Amino acid sequence: MSAKIKITVNGVMHEAEAGRNILQILLDLGIMLPHFCYHEALGAAGACRLCAAMISPGAGKPARLEMACMTRAEDGMIVDITNPQAVDFREKLIEELMLNHPHDCPVCDEGGECMLQDMTVLCRHQHRRNRFPKRTWRNQDLGPHIHHEMNRCITCYRCVRFYRDYALGDDLGVFGSRGRVYFGRMRDGALVSEFSGNLVDVCPTGVFTDKHFRAVYCRPWDLQTAPSICPHCSVGCNVLPGSRHKTLRRIKPRRNHTVNRFFMCDHGRFGGGFVNADNRLTSARFDGAGMSLDDAITQTAERLKEIVQTHGRGAVAAIGSPGASLEANAALILLMKTLEGRFAFFSTGAERAAHKRAAALIANGQVDTPSLPEVEQADFTLIVGGDITREAPMMDLAVRQTIRAGAPLFIISPQAGKLDAFAKAARHAALPEQAAIVSNIAQALDHALMTGQPDPFAGAAASALATAKRPQILCGATGAGGIALVDAAHSLVAKAVRPERPCRLVYWFPAMNSFGISLARNDESPDTIKQDVENGRIKALTILEHGASLDSEWPDDSKPMKSCFTIAVDAIAGKAATDADAVLPCASHYETFGTVMNYEGRAQRFEGLPLPRPVTWSSAEVLLKLIEALGAGEAINRTEYHDLFEIPATMSSLIGTLAPDSEGLLIRSTAAVREVVG
Amino acid sequence: MICGVVRDMLTGMKITAGYLFRRPITIQYPEQKPIIPPRWRGRIVLTSDPDGEDRCVACYLCQAVCPVQCIDLQAENRPDGRRGASRFDINFARCIFCGFCEEACPTYSIQLTPDFEMSTTARTNLLYHKEDLQISGTGKHPEYSYWKVAGVAIKGQDKGEGINQTAPADYRSNLP
């Protein structure tokens, strides 16, 4: 806790944290002082001059009109935001900002959540006195996601401060001078940054708007929203999808100060198309005949019973999904327990081993896994095992904050990536070779003070690691690098850790709930299940929510699957559902509720949008109905999370009571978590 | 006391009798049509621009302000750069003719007219769609054209060609 100071605002004494600017303190106190350019993540710029207030350094000292965002709060300061001089200044200023602002609010997509509208009303500017012509601008085509309408700009510089300074992009800039300041690209073209969608949020008015939302536009106040979690990677960004007229319209970041805070990546923001997709499964099918979901569940249960009776235990199997919630995977495991069947997750045994090892290290507390805001604080970063920009974009954005602070970055990746440009050194090597390079760094760390290293990359990384105060290593546990890479990263961290200096380690995973399914008890290696499907030992296979992504390593639609009765529980008519004998459609991610665990092992609850579709059951509910149809319904209420997953019993009940707007729950076990590596 | 009662009765009868010899105010509706003031709040219409295009830009303000939520619409972006309503429904079974929608409309598109003869035998007939609401004229504001002042480029009117606008600025130039 930092020191407290006393500050008087509008005649009332408040206690506030020292070292912050006055605007921050006022906003935290819930006192609305008009402002534009200040943004909690981007900081103060003093560009808009709107947050003017009468500020006196202390009692008896003369007060002056000053910008609250540019004034550091000191003990005893007296702030008056209602002073007529300040009020008049702000009113005049907003009138000037509005001189060239067009009369297009009715067709502006920002309307309803426009900061300029709010501030104009707040400053009581109502009547435009200026009768001179308005300046206009030509817009640019900024690609498929962002619509540009430069007339609306009030030159607060938030866009370039985010795009260039915060996200380190270089294809959006500011041009011109005085009354002709233009924000755009050198020439028309798509914005290349992975974080360009945040321009929509940071722009206080409608210069940058969401093209997808705009295509089928509605006002934000008409959107029905539900707190959700982005399904696209293991970072688990908190999002707020909005729907209207039975379709998903847009996705916005939702604040969680331990995860994504203000922003989200374009993949998550513009990647909600699967909800409205044409290939959504809407009707159930059994043996080629369409029927109601209830009938299909009953018939599937009958068939499964027959198979178990004929072929005995182990004849049915299931494949879970890292893209489905903990509850859906739990229901799948429970189904297999009911049928004495077998189940696997992941696509290969090697991937499973790597995932399980990484998840066990995190859950056991053997590694210190930072949250995203903590990743931003590091002063040394080593990235190994994949392209973080594509596999966990928001972690890339967090790493960019360390680069801004001057921290060295070292990258070992399979191919050139976007972060290479900021790295002190980047080494490109195939995933299997990366473990050796990490071990080299660990070896070099032992001889950090020696000169003449055989591997200059390892030497440079080791010497930077040795001198760093808050180092971190980000390792992709995708499985292609195998368990060797997971272990190599762990032993490097173990070597780098010193009592006075922690060394943090992130294992990022390929999918939303990879961590969750890695904690599953008694799952088999997918390799053995695959083999048994091929040699006909498995007579029925249930595939959960694999959409279009069922791994190509699974037997294709030729001979083996033919002898096996396949059941697809899915929202999307992908490969798995097209080939399946029984298709049980379920609601998609944004329409359901559940729990997922991100790369830190942070369990987060998400809720579903009320989209009235033919299918409204989640995959978990469909599977539970199937269990009930098998006559094992009473097992459902008896089962807790810790019966199926390596979760401490105390946390199991906490997961059940998680609120979607909470920070989430870090899954850590004090008792040793059993590590099953097959 | 009785005198008072009789006096009051006689006063009332005198007033009634007086009306016997005046012209009646009631008219023989529907054979005889009443004269309705022009600002009467009756059947809602969607008017057109002076150039004949839709005035409605689907800003959703009427829908937002409507106290009984009888308006439902969906915006669309047209190829000519304009925005309009792809669907515009008013449920007159719910409408209370308060006129808030007309007040909120930034483009003078939605207007209330003196027509009140909308009675029907089926409630579903009171759901008016866009084609039922549209009229070909400009209604109460014959001159006004929103797109002329919006500052948005549309077909036939480039940036800066609207009313009281300068030609697009050139940020590459250093000249005053």
Side-chain angles (χ1 to χ4, degrees), chain B residues 80-122:
Chain B
D80 62 357
R82 294 180 191 231
R83 178 172 283 183
S86 61
R87 197 164 57 71
F88 199 110
D89 298 341
I90 296 181
N91 185 351
F92 280 110
R94 247 196 222 179
C95 180
I96 57 168
F97 301 98
C98 65
F100 280 12
C101 49
E102 181 173 9
E103 230 172 273
C105 184
T107 65
Y108 295 133
S109 170
I110 197 163
Q111 297 181 8
L112 275 71
T113 63
D115 177 17
F116 62 92
E117 296 169 309
M118 304 166 70
S119 60
T120 172
T121 49

Side-chain angles (χ1 to χ4, degrees), chain A residues 162-163 167-169 171 190-197 266 400 418:
Chain A
F162 171 77
Y163 200 90
L168 304 180
D171 62 325
L191 292 167
V192 297
S193 171
E194 278 72 23
F195 313 102
S196 64
D266 287 2
R400 281 168 196 250
K418 281 193 177 178

Side-chain angles (χ1 to χ4, degrees), chain B residues 147-162:
Chain B
W147 294 103
K148 291 248 186 306
V149 294
V152 178
I154 54 168
K155 195 180 165 193
Q157 180 193 304
D158 202 359
K159 274 279 175 78
E161 290 176 5

